Amino acid sequence: EIVLTQSPATLSLSPGERATLSCRASQSVSSYLAWYQQRPGQAPRLLIYDASNRATGIPARFSGSGSGTDFTLTISSLEPEDFAVYYCQQRRNWPPLTFGGGTKVEIK
Amino acid sequence: EVQLVESGGGLVQPGGSLRLSCAASGFTVSGNYMTWVRQAPGKGLEWVSLIYTDGTTKYADSVKGRFTLSRDTSTNTLFLQMNSLRPEDTAIYYCARGYCSGAYCYPVWFDPWGQGTLVTVSS
């Protein structure tokens, strides 16, 4: 099973600041990684797939990069609605499909 | 509009059974990869099960042999039959569809998701 480790667990930032979230895989997942956003009380939604492709309707301030074992989700300038929990997910080797433990982006 | 609506959650005793439903609109369940993902209270996401377009199913080891994923084309509904429930199965259960961008669908990236249904296993 591929384990995804996200860091930091919590990121405290102010609106307008840049957020950098990390996801590290226990073995190479090539570019088969996605990022999801989950706002409080809501279902997750897909932000980024195949490491760097924005899903339909996702603002350009969200970007993904990386390959192999190290991946980054960057939010260039935080909007109030971006304060949420973010999860990465891999599909390189499955089952099982695995998710990271999440990074909470909170208002400083 | 593409929409997923889960139902069937509730309180059940350990060892009991529940059947979750996920009613789809705006697309056909049988023509897409569909999945269930759960989230224990205050915890992260855990993949549970997935069904291919050809009807093949896959399960997480934690539920294999206890949960069964199926679909009904006449009602365009996905089901998760959960037997021998344990306290550690307590979670919000979400159904989701394989993500489609234009005419191409990516089977194991998931979007959209339903709003979830809460399953509580407790005596």
Side-chain angles (χ1 to χ4, degrees):
Chain A
E1 172 177 330
I2 294 178
V3 176
L4 299 177
T5 301
Q6 292 188 241
S7 61
T10 304
L11 198 51
S12 298
L13 295 168
S14 300
E17 288 194 295
R18 183 184 188 89
T20 303
L21 288 66
S22 173
C23 177
R24 177 164 290 177
S26 59
Q27 63 189 82
S28 176
V29 298
S30 186
S31 295
Y32 299 129
L33 189 105
W35 291 91
Y36 296 84
Q37 177 194 65
Q38 187 176 33
R39 293 170 175 153
Q42 295 188 16
R45 70 163 176 163
L46 181 67
L47 297 177
I48 301 288
Y49 64 95
D50 290 350
S52 62
N53 296 305
R54 272 190 305 277
T56 302
I58 300 304
R61 64 181 181 273
F62 291 93
S63 64
S65 63
S67 66
T69 60
D70 291 296
F71 299 86
T72 301
L73 174 69
T74 301
I75 311 171
S76 59
S77 178
L78 283 164
E79 297 287 338
E81 61 268 27
D82 299 338
F83 292 91
V85 180
Y86 294 83
Y87 295 95
C88 54
Q89 179 222 327
Q90 67 82 25
R91 70 170 184 90
R92 178 65 180 86
N93 282 337
W94 73 283
L97 294 164
T98 53
F99 292 88
T103 290
K104 181 179 181 180
V105 179
E106 65 175 22
I107 300 176
K108 187 175 181 179
Chain B
E1 180 191 5
V2 173
Q3 192 173 15
L4 296 165
V5 178
E6 300 96 333
S7 61
L11 175 63
V12 61
Q13 292 190 338
S17 298
L18 275 179
R19 188 175 83 153
L20 306 184
S21 299
C22 172
S25 56
F27 70 98
T28 60
V29 165
S30 61
N32 289 269
Y33 281 52
M34 300 291 299
T35 199
W36 288 93
V37 173
R38 68 185 180 184
Q39 186 170 36
K43 302 298 184 182
L45 303 173
E46 179 188 15
W47 173 74
V48 173
S49 183
L50 182 143
I51 187 165
Y52 291 49
T53 52
D54 69 1
T56 301
T57 52
K58 300 290 185 184
Y59 299 93
D61 285 347
S62 58
V63 307
K64 198 174 295 182
R66 300 188 298 124
F67 290 12
T68 302
L69 178 53
S70 63
R71 64 193 181 195
D72 183 336
T73 56
S74 65
T75 59
N76 206 30
T77 302
L78 188 71
F79 299 102
L80 186 67
Q81 177 67 43
M82 305 187 297
N83 298 330
S84 303
L85 283 161
R86 306 167 179 168
E88 55 264 36
D89 295 319
T90 294
I92 296 172
Y93 285 72
Y94 296 101
C95 67
R97 188 194 73 178
Y99 170 65
C100 296
S101 177
Y104 188 80
C105 293
Y106 299 82
V108 290
W109 302 138
F110 304 119
D111 199 79
W113 298 54
Q115 281 306 298
T117 187
L118 176 62
V119 172
T120 303
V121 185
S122 175
S123 54

